[in-house]
């Protein structure tokens, strides 16, 4: 493989890491050529970081995987950028920086879309938040799917470890409160109208 065209070898490396970053391990322990391929920015930008989504604590400074995560961040891997945004918001108390990072990402990520709407409403950007939330709900296959994504985002925040400093109580803004809680909706029993409201309340408590 070391004698084939570099671009072809790079494409092969991208395919190797498409399912999981752990599939690149074999390349790291062979030769300098394979190692350079595994650490190439193109590969790191496309490599699957699903394991980090499943266990978001892996991005924390104490994690043995943090150096690799940093390399993926430098390569602008979308998953790495998304998780860094969550960490900035919930672990560092820097929701503004987290939101700014999310806004640079492709809108195709539903998790990032929901996180964007969540941070916007907590930072007082109500109308922007409602616009993104509507797009998120429309792009989701069903309300149940949207609710599951929102729940996953919160699980990821909890895994990262929020500071619980309640730093956005003064900026959180909901201009038009949903009326459905008066007819049965609750924090654990949500609908499309109150999904963002309840999760933003939980964010205030959590972060």
């Amino acid at each position: 493989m070391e004698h084939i065209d570099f671009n072809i070898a790079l494409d092969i490396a991208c395919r190797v890491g498409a399912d999981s970053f752990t599939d690149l391990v074999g390349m790291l322990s062979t030769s300098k050529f394979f190692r350079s391929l595994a650490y190439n920015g193109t590969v790191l930008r496309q490599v699957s970081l699903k394991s980090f989504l499943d266990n978001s604590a892996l991005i924390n400074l104490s994690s043995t995987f943090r150096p690799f995560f940093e390399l993926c961040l430098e390569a602008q891997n979308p998953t790495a950028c998304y998780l860094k945004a969550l960490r900035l918001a919930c672990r560092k108390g820097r929701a503004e920086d987290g939101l700014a990072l999310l806004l640079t990402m492709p809108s195709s990520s539903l998790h990032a879309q929901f996180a964007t709407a969540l941070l916007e409403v907590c930072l007082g950007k109500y109308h922007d938040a409602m616009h993104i939330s509507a797009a998120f709900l429309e792009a989701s296959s069903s309300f149940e799917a949207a609710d599951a994504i929102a729940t996953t985002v919160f699980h990821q925040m909890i895994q990262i470890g929020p500071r619980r400093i309640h730093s956005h109580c003064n900026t959180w803004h909901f201009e038009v409160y949903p009326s459905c809680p008066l007819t049965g909706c609750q924090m654990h029993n949500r609908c499309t109208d109150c999904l963002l409201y309840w999760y933003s309340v939980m964010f205030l408590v959590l972060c």
Side-chain angles (χ1 to χ4, degrees), residues 80-94:
C81 292
Y82 160 72
L83 290 173
K84 180 183 179 180
L86 292 191
R87 188 174 189 275
L88 286 171
C90 72
R91 180 90 172 190
K92 307 293 286 185
R94 294 163 52 192

Side-chain angles (χ1 to χ4, degrees), residues 101-176:
L101 182 55
L102 286 170
L103 290 174
T104 67
M105 295 179 57
S107 59
S108 57
S109 168
L110 292 179
H111 291 78
Q113 268 193 338
F114 175 75
T116 299
L118 179 66
L119 294 186
E120 283 179 333
V121 78
C122 289
L123 290 169
K125 303 176 186 293
Y126 173 79
H127 293 290
D128 291 340
M130 297 310 292
H131 175 74
I132 296 294
S133 179
F136 162 71
L137 289 168
E138 184 177 353
S140 301
S141 59
S142 65
F143 169 72
E144 290 74 19
D147 193 44
I149 289 170
T151 300
T152 297
V153 172
F154 259 78
H155 281 317
Q156 290 163 345
M157 288 182 177
I158 291 170
Q159 289 172 337
I160 291 170
R163 294 183 66 189
R164 302 181 188 277
I165 57 176
H166 313 302
S167 57
H168 303 293
C169 293
N170 294 329
T171 57
W172 179 89
H173 175 63
F174 232 91
E175 189 169 306
V176 180

